[in-house]
Amino acid sequence: QSALTQPASVSGSPGQSITISCAGTSSDVGSYNRVSWYQHHPGKAPKLMIYEGSKRPSGVSNRFSGSKSGNTASLTISGLQAEDEADYYCCSYAGSSTWVFGGGTKLTVL
Amino acid sequence: QVQLVQSGAEVKKPGASVKVSCKASGYTFTSYGITWVRQAPGQGLEWMGWISTYNGNTNYAQKLQGRVTMTTDTSTTTAYMELRSLRSDDTAVYYCARIHDFLSGYPLDYWGQGTLVTVSS
């Protein structure tokens, strides 16, 4: 199972919006609503931000949204804030009790 | 509240084994699977494998087949991950995470705090 493809880094100024892409295949990202997104601050546990492609867990800001087109999923963060600076990972269930992560994207808030 | 509390940091020599524990609380242990994920220094998250807390079924990442074993003890609501024949590139922070089995795509909704395993001679 190959890793999902994410850009290594993205950046934006406070208040702006950014989008992180996550490219996979028809067996993972493109298959139903299998994508989740995680925020990871160094030294802390990853945090679930989006599941089923576009749903937010309770307590996650509505500035975070997810979408999908074909075999590519996207995470959009609007109204960037300093505390959004972190690494972001997409993850997809790939069937047969197997998961695959993206390589991660470092978000810098300028 | 749901909590996953992992065992402490380990330092091991090449060729040795390590066993990391993950104590779950705040929910019905056997209703949700557990997965293990690791992050080597400067690298991304890597999925290692899955275990059903209901019946003990497992599935491991191909690159770790033969070296990793995941188990659970339902009496103590604890999951374990054992990695054998350790190499320097196994140096990483190891996380356990709960799988939300009732949602599409089985997201990892709660995570342990991580356990640093250092492999060094």
Side-chain angles (χ1 to χ4, degrees):
Chain A
Q1 189 71 38
S2 299
L4 308 177
T5 301
Q6 299 180 232
S9 63
V10 297
S11 62
S13 299
Q16 289 186 331
S17 296
I18 62 95
T19 296
I20 300 170
S21 61
C22 170
T25 69
S26 58
S27 297
D28 39 59
V29 173
S31 180
Y32 200 48
N33 292 323
R34 290 182 167 185
V35 174
S36 51
W37 288 90
Y38 302 86
Q39 178 188 66
H40 192 200
H41 287 107
K44 300 186 70 176
K47 177 184 178 183
L48 176 65
M49 304 302 284
I50 295 287
Y51 66 94
E52 293 184 356
S54 62
K55 297 180 180 179
R56 286 185 305 276
S58 174
V60 172
S61 171
N62 60 8
R63 297 186 298 105
F64 291 83
S65 62
S67 62
K68 188 185 81 169
S69 178
N71 296 336
T72 299
S74 297
L75 173 71
T76 297
I77 308 173
S78 58
L80 270 179
Q81 299 179 0
E83 59 261 36
D84 298 333
E85 186 162 294
D87 296 321
Y88 290 85
Y89 293 88
C90 61
C91 178
S92 179
Y93 180 67
S96 301
S97 303
T98 299
W99 284 255
V100 59
F101 281 94
T105 298
K106 182 178 180 58
L107 169 62
T108 301
V109 180
L110 302 170
Chain B
Q1 71 283 21
V2 174
Q3 280 192 304
L4 299 174
V5 179
Q6 299 182 221
S7 48
E10 304 261 14
V11 179
K12 297 291 183 180
K13 293 192 182 302
S17 299
V18 69
K19 192 170 186 177
V20 178
S21 67
C22 171
K23 166 73 174 173
S25 62
Y27 69 98
T28 302
F29 183 66
T30 52
S31 293
Y32 298 83
I34 292 285
T35 194
W36 289 86
V37 175
R38 69 179 180 179
Q39 184 179 37
Q43 303 297 309
L45 300 177
E46 178 188 13
W47 179 76
M48 298 179 65
W50 156 87
I51 182 165
S52 166
T53 54
Y54 177 72
N55 58 19
N57 286 350
T58 56
N59 189 40
Y60 304 133
Q62 195 167 6
K63 69 176 289 188
L64 296 174
Q65 291 272 3
R67 290 205 300 137
V68 67
T69 300
M70 296 175 187
T71 57
T72 62
D73 182 342
T74 56
S75 68
T76 61
T77 66
T78 302
Y80 299 92
M81 186 284 299
E82 181 180 34
L83 190 59
R84 301 176 294 278
S85 302
L86 288 169
R87 310 187 291 244
S88 58
D89 62 356
D90 291 318
T91 294
V93 177
Y94 289 76
Y95 295 99
C96 61
R98 189 183 84 161
I99 300 165
H100 201 309
D101 288 320
F102 305 106
L103 294 175
S104 176
Y106 308 110
L108 314 181
D109 61 350
Y110 288 92
W111 295 65
Q113 82 277 18
T115 296
L116 174 62
V117 175
T118 303
V119 183
S120 174
S121 55

